[in-house]
Amino acid sequence: MYEMNPLGKSDLQVSPVSFGCMSLGENPVLYKDLLRRAVESGINYFDTADLYQKGLNELYVGETLKPIRKNVIIATKAGNQWRPDGSGWDWNPSKEYILKCAEKSLRRLKTDYIDLYQLHGGTIDDPIDETIEAFELLKQQGKIRWYGISSIRPNVIREYIKRSNIVSVMMQYSLLDHRPEEEILDLLHQHDISVICRGAVAQGFLLSKPADNYLQYTDGEVARAAKMLAKVAAESERTKLEVALGYIWAHPAVATAALGVRTSAQLDEAILALRHAAPLSDMQRMALRQSVRSFHYEAHR
């Protein structure tokens, strides 16, 4: 049976599998069923953002989870500002903008507080201290309980480690994107900051999606990694999803893997993986890791 994991220095305890809400869709019968069934099955962390569906995603999550608000952890994000004509969005990490966004997110989520408020990106040229001031003020006001960032940029992550009280970093991490292993995972763990992992199945290429180019890997290299993962799954009598997650869970910095859930079948898979949540053995992990060549972050170092 799985155990809840502490989220960094916070008092939040999160399920090893969490619900990425970005793909929920707009069918209320379906998304309400998915969210409620996830809670009933032990998933307690739900990750959304004001960017998703121009705020509607927060509204759907808030409405559905309101009756059981105290039993769940709701995380959302801010920093991307939709253009007035809706053609796209621009980056805005200013204190004024983040404070405004928090108020709007609270209303849409139908809650008095956000458990984890995250900066939805970030660059080294941002007014980082101003951004941190916004999060600290929201925390003092009781509007957010904790805060973190969503970023894969080592230079940005290092600055927030040094200058802020973040409890988490959401980042892409998988067998096919093991760049965080070079430095960032250990650094975060040393500072008691947890990783919320996204992209653990590499867009499905590690499961059943036909191989194609992915990041720096050719389709042949992707196919080889997927084949090795399937071999480990068969030998250990685990599903391929369980093995893909077991790979990232093996690092102690990882608190939860946010899986994008869009269908009932995807939720069933996620629930099964949660029930059997366990890291891979060192030997299994090494076999997988040796099936792909190493690569590192080239930009934003």
PDB file of all heavy atoms in Angstrom, residues 238-265:
ATOM      1  N   ARG A 238       4.490  -5.789 -13.548  1.00  0.00           N
ATOM      2  CA  ARG A 238       3.922  -4.470 -13.318  1.00  0.00           C
ATOM      3  C   ARG A 238       3.479  -3.904 -14.663  1.00  0.00           C
ATOM      4  O   ARG A 238       3.917  -4.353 -15.721  1.00  0.00           O
ATOM      5  CB  ARG A 238       4.962  -3.530 -12.672  1.00  0.00           C
ATOM      6  CG  ARG A 238       5.448  -4.024 -11.326  1.00  0.00           C
ATOM      7  CD  ARG A 238       6.628  -3.227 -10.804  1.00  0.00           C
ATOM      8  NE  ARG A 238       6.230  -1.945 -10.246  1.00  0.00           N
ATOM      9  CZ  ARG A 238       7.063  -1.118  -9.615  1.00  0.00           C
ATOM     10  NH1 ARG A 238       8.332  -1.448  -9.461  1.00  0.00           N
ATOM     11  NH2 ARG A 238       6.636   0.024  -9.132  1.00  0.00           N
ATOM     12  N   THR A 239       2.588  -2.917 -14.623  1.00  0.00           N
ATOM     13  CA  THR A 239       2.197  -2.269 -15.875  1.00  0.00           C
ATOM     14  C   THR A 239       3.330  -1.355 -16.339  1.00  0.00           C
ATOM     15  O   THR A 239       4.201  -0.969 -15.558  1.00  0.00           O
ATOM     16  CB  THR A 239       0.915  -1.435 -15.702  1.00  0.00           C
ATOM     17  OG1 THR A 239       1.199  -0.309 -14.852  1.00  0.00           O
ATOM     18  CG2 THR A 239      -0.206  -2.260 -15.095  1.00  0.00           C
ATOM     19  N   LYS A 240       3.283  -0.995 -17.613  1.00  0.00           N
ATOM     20  CA  LYS A 240       4.304  -0.086 -18.135  1.00  0.00           C
ATOM     21  C   LYS A 240       4.233   1.272 -17.437  1.00  0.00           C
ATOM     22  O   LYS A 240       5.268   1.897 -17.185  1.00  0.00           O
ATOM     23  CB  LYS A 240       4.158   0.049 -19.653  1.00  0.00           C
ATOM     24  CG  LYS A 240       4.586  -1.211 -20.404  1.00  0.00           C
ATOM     25  CD  LYS A 240       4.617  -1.011 -21.901  1.00  0.00           C
ATOM     26  CE  LYS A 240       3.243  -1.126 -22.514  1.00  0.00           C
ATOM     27  NZ  LYS A 240       3.291  -1.132 -23.991  1.00  0.00           N
ATOM     28  N   LEU A 241       3.023   1.715 -17.113  1.00  0.00           N
ATOM     29  CA  LEU A 241       2.895   2.983 -16.382  1.00  0.00           C
ATOM     30  C   LEU A 241       3.550   2.883 -15.008  1.00  0.00           C
ATOM     31  O   LEU A 241       4.255   3.809 -14.579  1.00  0.00           O
ATOM     32  CB  LEU A 241       1.424   3.378 -16.241  1.00  0.00           C
ATOM     33  CG  LEU A 241       1.152   4.657 -15.437  1.00  0.00           C
ATOM     34  CD1 LEU A 241       1.854   5.863 -16.056  1.00  0.00           C
ATOM     35  CD2 LEU A 241      -0.350   4.915 -15.321  1.00  0.00           C
ATOM     36  N   GLU A 242       3.350   1.775 -14.335  1.00  0.00           N
ATOM     37  CA  GLU A 242       3.963   1.593 -13.013  1.00  0.00           C
ATOM     38  C   GLU A 242       5.489   1.636 -13.093  1.00  0.00           C
ATOM     39  O   GLU A 242       6.152   2.195 -12.207  1.00  0.00           O
ATOM     40  CB  GLU A 242       3.518   0.255 -12.403  1.00  0.00           C
ATOM     41  CG  GLU A 242       2.065   0.247 -11.941  1.00  0.00           C
ATOM     42  CD  GLU A 242       1.576  -1.166 -11.609  1.00  0.00           C
ATOM     43  OE1 GLU A 242       2.397  -2.004 -11.200  1.00  0.00           O
ATOM     44  OE2 GLU A 242       0.382  -1.423 -11.788  1.00  0.00           O
ATOM     45  N   VAL A 243       6.042   1.087 -14.160  1.00  0.00           N
ATOM     46  CA  VAL A 243       7.499   1.100 -14.316  1.00  0.00           C
ATOM     47  C   VAL A 243       7.995   2.508 -14.653  1.00  0.00           C
ATOM     48  O   VAL A 243       9.001   2.975 -14.106  1.00  0.00           O
ATOM     49  CB  VAL A 243       7.942   0.086 -15.393  1.00  0.00           C
ATOM     50  CG1 VAL A 243       9.433   0.216 -15.685  1.00  0.00           C
ATOM     51  CG2 VAL A 243       7.616  -1.333 -14.933  1.00  0.00           C
ATOM     52  N   ALA A 244       7.284   3.194 -15.544  1.00  0.00           N
ATOM     53  CA  ALA A 244       7.673   4.568 -15.890  1.00  0.00           C
ATOM     54  C   ALA A 244       7.658   5.466 -14.649  1.00  0.00           C
ATOM     55  O   ALA A 244       8.554   6.292 -14.448  1.00  0.00           O
ATOM     56  CB  ALA A 244       6.742   5.131 -16.964  1.00  0.00           C
ATOM     57  N   LEU A 245       6.648   5.271 -13.802  1.00  0.00           N
ATOM     58  CA  LEU A 245       6.561   6.064 -12.573  1.00  0.00           C
ATOM     59  C   LEU A 245       7.581   5.580 -11.543  1.00  0.00           C
ATOM     60  O   LEU A 245       8.170   6.382 -10.822  1.00  0.00           O
ATOM     61  CB  LEU A 245       5.151   5.974 -11.986  1.00  0.00           C
ATOM     62  CG  LEU A 245       4.034   6.605 -12.834  1.00  0.00           C
ATOM     63  CD1 LEU A 245       2.680   6.421 -12.157  1.00  0.00           C
ATOM     64  CD2 LEU A 245       4.298   8.087 -13.085  1.00  0.00           C
ATOM     65  N   GLY A 246       7.787   4.263 -11.494  1.00  0.00           N
ATOM     66  CA  GLY A 246       8.777   3.717 -10.569  1.00  0.00           C
ATOM     67  C   GLY A 246      10.169   4.265 -10.832  1.00  0.00           C
ATOM     68  O   GLY A 246      10.961   4.439  -9.905  1.00  0.00           O
ATOM     69  N   TYR A 247      10.444   4.576 -12.097  1.00  0.00           N
ATOM     70  CA  TYR A 247      11.744   5.160 -12.447  1.00  0.00           C
ATOM     71  C   TYR A 247      11.916   6.526 -11.780  1.00  0.00           C
ATOM     72  O   TYR A 247      12.940   6.809 -11.156  1.00  0.00           O
ATOM     73  CB  TYR A 247      11.879   5.287 -13.967  1.00  0.00           C
ATOM     74  CG  TYR A 247      13.194   5.907 -14.389  1.00  0.00           C
ATOM     75  CD1 TYR A 247      14.327   5.121 -14.544  1.00  0.00           C
ATOM     76  CD2 TYR A 247      13.314   7.287 -14.592  1.00  0.00           C
ATOM     77  CE1 TYR A 247      15.547   5.692 -14.896  1.00  0.00           C
ATOM     78  CE2 TYR A 247      14.528   7.860 -14.939  1.00  0.00           C
ATOM     79  CZ  TYR A 247      15.642   7.055 -15.088  1.00  0.00           C
ATOM     80  OH  TYR A 247      16.841   7.621 -15.418  1.00  0.00           O
ATOM     81  N   ILE A 248      10.900   7.382 -11.885  1.00  0.00           N
ATOM     82  CA  ILE A 248      11.058   8.738 -11.316  1.00  0.00           C
ATOM     83  C   ILE A 248      10.885   8.742  -9.794  1.00  0.00           C
ATOM     84  O   ILE A 248      11.507   9.545  -9.094  1.00  0.00           O
ATOM     85  CB  ILE A 248      10.120   9.753 -12.001  1.00  0.00           C
ATOM     86  CG1 ILE A 248       8.656   9.332 -11.852  1.00  0.00           C
ATOM     87  CG2 ILE A 248      10.480   9.929 -13.452  1.00  0.00           C
ATOM     88  CD1 ILE A 248       7.794  10.376 -11.285  1.00  0.00           C
ATOM     89  N   TRP A 249      10.069   7.833  -9.280  1.00  0.00           N
ATOM     90  CA  TRP A 249       9.890   7.758  -7.820  1.00  0.00           C
ATOM     91  C   TRP A 249      11.174   7.330  -7.113  1.00  0.00           C
ATOM     92  O   TRP A 249      11.315   7.536  -5.912  1.00  0.00           O
ATOM     93  CB  TRP A 249       8.803   6.751  -7.470  1.00  0.00           C
ATOM     94  CG  TRP A 249       7.398   7.243  -7.672  1.00  0.00           C
ATOM     95  CD1 TRP A 249       6.937   8.524  -7.559  1.00  0.00           C
ATOM     96  CD2 TRP A 249       6.267   6.437  -8.003  1.00  0.00           C
ATOM     97  NE1 TRP A 249       5.591   8.564  -7.812  1.00  0.00           N
ATOM     98  CE2 TRP A 249       5.147   7.297  -8.087  1.00  0.00           C
ATOM     99  CE3 TRP A 249       6.083   5.072  -8.241  1.00  0.00           C
ATOM    100  CZ2 TRP A 249       3.864   6.839  -8.399  1.00  0.00           C
ATOM    101  CZ3 TRP A 249       4.822   4.619  -8.540  1.00  0.00           C
ATOM    102  CH2 TRP A 249       3.716   5.482  -8.612  1.00  0.00           C
ATOM    103  N   ALA A 250      12.091   6.734  -7.843  1.00  0.00           N
ATOM    104  CA  ALA A 250      13.324   6.245  -7.212  1.00  0.00           C
ATOM    105  C   ALA A 250      14.175   7.390  -6.660  1.00  0.00           C
ATOM    106  O   ALA A 250      15.015   7.160  -5.793  1.00  0.00           O
ATOM    107  CB  ALA A 250      14.136   5.411  -8.204  1.00  0.00           C
ATOM    108  N   HIS A 251      13.976   8.599  -7.151  1.00  0.00           N
ATOM    109  CA  HIS A 251      14.733   9.724  -6.582  1.00  0.00           C
ATOM    110  C   HIS A 251      13.944  10.331  -5.427  1.00  0.00           C
ATOM    111  O   HIS A 251      12.767  10.658  -5.574  1.00  0.00           O
ATOM    112  CB  HIS A 251      15.032  10.799  -7.626  1.00  0.00           C
ATOM    113  CG  HIS A 251      16.133  11.708  -7.157  1.00  0.00           C
ATOM    114  ND1 HIS A 251      15.948  12.655  -6.164  1.00  0.00           N
ATOM    115  CD2 HIS A 251      17.451  11.788  -7.505  1.00  0.00           C
ATOM    116  CE1 HIS A 251      17.082  13.282  -5.932  1.00  0.00           C
ATOM    117  NE2 HIS A 251      18.020  12.773  -6.733  1.00  0.00           N
ATOM    118  N   PRO A 252      14.571  10.493  -4.260  1.00  0.00           N
ATOM    119  CA  PRO A 252      13.838  10.955  -3.073  1.00  0.00           C
ATOM    120  C   PRO A 252      13.288  12.374  -3.183  1.00  0.00           C
ATOM    121  O   PRO A 252      12.432  12.762  -2.376  1.00  0.00           O
ATOM    122  CB  PRO A 252      14.878  10.866  -1.948  1.00  0.00           C
ATOM    123  CG  PRO A 252      16.205  10.867  -2.640  1.00  0.00           C
ATOM    124  CD  PRO A 252      15.981  10.200  -3.953  1.00  0.00           C
ATOM    125  N   ALA A 253      13.741  13.155  -4.160  1.00  0.00           N
ATOM    126  CA  ALA A 253      13.198  14.516  -4.322  1.00  0.00           C
ATOM    127  C   ALA A 253      11.773  14.490  -4.878  1.00  0.00           C
ATOM    128  O   ALA A 253      11.010  15.438  -4.681  1.00  0.00           O
ATOM    129  CB  ALA A 253      14.091  15.341  -5.242  1.00  0.00           C
ATOM    130  N   VAL A 254      11.417  13.411  -5.575  1.00  0.00           N
ATOM    131  CA  VAL A 254      10.117  13.360  -6.248  1.00  0.00           C
ATOM    132  C   VAL A 254       9.020  13.003  -5.245  1.00  0.00           C
ATOM    133  O   VAL A 254       9.036  11.930  -4.650  1.00  0.00           O
ATOM    134  CB  VAL A 254      10.129  12.347  -7.407  1.00  0.00           C
ATOM    135  CG1 VAL A 254       8.747  12.242  -8.046  1.00  0.00           C
ATOM    136  CG2 VAL A 254      11.164  12.753  -8.454  1.00  0.00           C
ATOM    137  N   ALA A 255       8.059  13.928  -5.097  1.00  0.00           N
ATOM    138  CA  ALA A 255       6.950  13.695  -4.166  1.00  0.00           C
ATOM    139  C   ALA A 255       5.739  13.105  -4.868  1.00  0.00           C
ATOM    140  O   ALA A 255       5.029  12.271  -4.313  1.00  0.00           O
ATOM    141  CB  ALA A 255       6.560  15.004  -3.478  1.00  0.00           C
ATOM    142  N   THR A 256       5.494  13.543  -6.102  1.00  0.00           N
ATOM    143  CA  THR A 256       4.303  13.070  -6.811  1.00  0.00           C
ATOM    144  C   THR A 256       4.507  13.212  -8.311  1.00  0.00           C
ATOM    145  O   THR A 256       5.292  14.050  -8.766  1.00  0.00           O
ATOM    146  CB  THR A 256       3.043  13.852  -6.374  1.00  0.00           C
ATOM    147  OG1 THR A 256       1.876  13.270  -6.974  1.00  0.00           O
ATOM    148  CG2 THR A 256       3.123  15.322  -6.734  1.00  0.00           C
ATOM    149  N   ALA A 257       3.799  12.381  -9.058  1.00  0.00           N
ATOM    150  CA  ALA A 257       3.809  12.457 -10.521  1.00  0.00           C
ATOM    151  C   ALA A 257       2.428  12.908 -10.965  1.00  0.00           C
ATOM    152  O   ALA A 257       1.429  12.217 -10.719  1.00  0.00           O
ATOM    153  CB  ALA A 257       4.130  11.094 -11.126  1.00  0.00           C
ATOM    154  N   ALA A 258       2.355  14.078 -11.587  1.00  0.00           N
ATOM    155  CA  ALA A 258       1.080  14.603 -12.078  1.00  0.00           C
ATOM    156  C   ALA A 258       0.801  14.007 -13.453  1.00  0.00           C
ATOM    157  O   ALA A 258       1.534  14.264 -14.408  1.00  0.00           O
ATOM    158  CB  ALA A 258       1.135  16.125 -12.151  1.00  0.00           C
ATOM    159  N   LEU A 259      -0.238  13.203 -13.522  1.00  0.00           N
ATOM    160  CA  LEU A 259      -0.611  12.559 -14.783  1.00  0.00           C
ATOM    161  C   LEU A 259      -1.792  13.300 -15.396  1.00  0.00           C
ATOM    162  O   LEU A 259      -2.794  13.553 -14.718  1.00  0.00           O
ATOM    163  CB  LEU A 259      -1.001  11.096 -14.545  1.00  0.00           C
ATOM    164  CG  LEU A 259       0.077  10.191 -13.941  1.00  0.00           C
ATOM    165  CD1 LEU A 259      -0.480   8.777 -13.756  1.00  0.00           C
ATOM    166  CD2 LEU A 259       1.320  10.160 -14.836  1.00  0.00           C
ATOM    167  N   GLY A 260      -1.663  13.641 -16.672  1.00  0.00           N
ATOM    168  CA  GLY A 260      -2.782  14.268 -17.359  1.00  0.00           C
ATOM    169  C   GLY A 260      -3.880  13.243 -17.579  1.00  0.00           C
ATOM    170  O   GLY A 260      -3.649  12.202 -18.196  1.00  0.00           O
ATOM    171  N   VAL A 261      -5.057  13.517 -17.046  1.00  0.00           N
ATOM    172  CA  VAL A 261      -6.170  12.561 -17.138  1.00  0.00           C
ATOM    173  C   VAL A 261      -7.289  13.183 -17.971  1.00  0.00           C
ATOM    174  O   VAL A 261      -7.799  14.261 -17.650  1.00  0.00           O
ATOM    175  CB  VAL A 261      -6.697  12.185 -15.743  1.00  0.00           C
ATOM    176  CG1 VAL A 261      -7.892  11.248 -15.860  1.00  0.00           C
ATOM    177  CG2 VAL A 261      -5.594  11.534 -14.917  1.00  0.00           C
ATOM    178  N   ARG A 262      -7.669  12.487 -19.017  1.00  0.00           N
ATOM    179  CA  ARG A 262      -8.706  12.978 -19.919  1.00  0.00           C
ATOM    180  C   ARG A 262      -9.853  11.979 -20.048  1.00  0.00           C
ATOM    181  O   ARG A 262     -10.978  12.346 -20.347  1.00  0.00           O
ATOM    182  CB  ARG A 262      -8.094  13.261 -21.296  1.00  0.00           C
ATOM    183  CG  ARG A 262      -8.989  13.952 -22.282  1.00  0.00           C
ATOM    184  CD  ARG A 262      -8.266  14.247 -23.598  1.00  0.00           C
ATOM    185  NE  ARG A 262      -7.829  13.029 -24.286  1.00  0.00           N
ATOM    186  CZ  ARG A 262      -6.575  12.604 -24.351  1.00  0.00           C
ATOM    187  NH1 ARG A 262      -5.612  13.290 -23.757  1.00  0.00           N
ATOM    188  NH2 ARG A 262      -6.251  11.499 -24.992  1.00  0.00           N
ATOM    189  N   THR A 263      -9.552  10.686 -19.847  1.00  0.00           N
ATOM    190  CA  THR A 263     -10.552   9.641 -20.050  1.00  0.00           C
ATOM    191  C   THR A 263     -10.660   8.745 -18.821  1.00  0.00           C
ATOM    192  O   THR A 263      -9.764   8.708 -17.976  1.00  0.00           O
ATOM    193  CB  THR A 263     -10.184   8.757 -21.256  1.00  0.00           C
ATOM    194  OG1 THR A 263      -8.989   8.019 -20.929  1.00  0.00           O
ATOM    195  CG2 THR A 263      -9.944   9.589 -22.499  1.00  0.00           C
ATOM    196  N   SER A 264     -11.733   8.006 -18.781  1.00  0.00           N
ATOM    197  CA  SER A 264     -11.956   7.069 -17.677  1.00  0.00           C
ATOM    198  C   SER A 264     -10.888   5.976 -17.663  1.00  0.00           C
ATOM    199  O   SER A 264     -10.414   5.563 -16.606  1.00  0.00           O
ATOM    200  CB  SER A 264     -13.351   6.448 -17.819  1.00  0.00           C
ATOM    201  OG  SER A 264     -13.718   5.761 -16.661  1.00  0.00           O
ATOM    202  N   ALA A 265     -10.473   5.529 -18.846  1.00  0.00           N
ATOM    203  CA  ALA A 265      -9.442   4.483 -18.937  1.00  0.00           C
ATOM    204  C   ALA A 265      -8.111   4.992 -18.391  1.00  0.00           C
ATOM    205  O   ALA A 265      -7.391   4.254 -17.705  1.00  0.00           O
ATOM    206  CB  ALA A 265      -9.289   4.025 -20.388  1.00  0.00           C
TER     207      ALA A 265
END
